[in-house]
């Protein structure tokens, strides 16, 4: 890898690039490769230079929040409108607005609940029998 100077990555425009790469979902390894440095160097720079650490954290936080919101929306289900246009000879003759419903997705719901309420929704639960703690595997979702 070519010699890369940390000073160039501390400039505001370069910090925005780092933030964008993190927001796009790139791993630290991919970001380091894009920067022309080893991942070990990136880890060291993150410890030494709060600007780099902050830019990467800010980008990752934004991406995580966006995905969390999408998962929540998909788990609940949602409505959206679609506009259909009929044309004759390039002229709009009819425009119809249709509201469609996407039902909640049970896989997204289970994923959400297992992570948000693991004590109630995880597959493995600790159960006490005769004063001994035992692990019980639960095959179904609780009522």
């Amino acid at each position: 890898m070519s010699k890369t100077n940390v000073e160039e990555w501390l400039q505001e425009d370069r910090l925005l690039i780092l933030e964008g790469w993190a927001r796009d979902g790139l791993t630290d390894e991919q970001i380091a490769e894009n920067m022309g440095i080893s991942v070990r160097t990136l880890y060291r720079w993150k410890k030494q230079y709060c600007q780099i650490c902050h830019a990467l954290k800010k980008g990752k936080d934004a991406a995580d929040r966006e995905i969390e919101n999408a998962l929540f929306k998909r788990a609940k289900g949602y409505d959206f409108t679609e506009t259909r246009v009929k044309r004759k000879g390039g002229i709009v003759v009819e425009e119809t607005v249709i509201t469609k419903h996407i039902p909640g997705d049970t896989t997204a719901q289970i994923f959400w609940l297992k992570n948000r309420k693991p004590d109630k929704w995880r597959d493995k639960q600790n159960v006490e029998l005769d004063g001994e703690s035992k692990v019980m595997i639960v095959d179904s979702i609780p009522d």
Side-chain angles (χ1 to χ4, degrees):
M1 290 188 184
S2 65
K3 189 102 169 138
T4 302
N5 187 344
V6 70
E7 296 302 323
E8 69 184 82
W9 288 102
L10 294 174
Q11 296 173 18
E12 191 172 332
D13 61 331
R14 293 299 204 120
L15 291 170
L16 283 172
I17 290 170
L18 293 178
E19 183 181 328
W21 286 338
R23 187 177 48 250
D24 290 344
L26 272 64
T27 63
D28 283 347
E29 290 80 8
Q30 293 168 321
I31 291 170
E33 185 176 328
N34 285 354
M35 294 171 73
I37 60 175
S38 72
V39 72
R40 287 179 57 193
T41 299
L42 177 60
Y43 293 151
R44 192 174 71 249
W45 287 0
K46 283 169 56 173
K47 286 181 185 176
Q48 290 177 339
Y49 304 98
C50 64
Q51 305 95 310
I52 290 175
C53 184
H54 180 71
L56 293 172
K57 184 172 177 8
K58 186 176 176 185
K60 288 178 182 181
D61 287 348
D64 291 347
R65 183 67 60 192
E66 187 176 341
I67 296 301
E68 288 170 1
N69 289 339
L71 174 65
F72 185 71
K73 181 178 178 181
R74 188 64 186 102
K76 284 183 15 174
Y78 58 95
D79 295 327
F80 70 97
T81 57
E82 181 179 278
T83 303
R84 292 188 181 172
V85 178
K86 288 186 183 178
R87 300 176 188 267
K88 277 193 180 174
I91 300 170
V92 176
V93 293
E94 185 180 341
E95 198 171 280
T96 309
V97 177
I98 301 166
T99 299
K100 291 189 173 183
H101 177 72
I102 302 296
D105 180 89
T106 54
T107 302
Q109 293 165 353
I110 291 167
F111 183 81
W112 181 271
L113 289 168
K114 282 184 178 184
N115 284 282
R116 294 284 295 216
K117 294 186 167 190
D119 55 319
K120 185 174 180 180
W121 287 89
R122 68 178 163 230
D123 292 330
K124 198 174 9 170
Q125 295 187 3
N126 292 324
V127 178
E128 198 168 306
L129 301 171
D130 299 329
E132 273 183 51
S133 183
K134 302 283 184 183
V135 173
M136 179 174 76
I137 305 298
V138 179
D139 289 333
S140 60
I141 298 170
D143 297 322

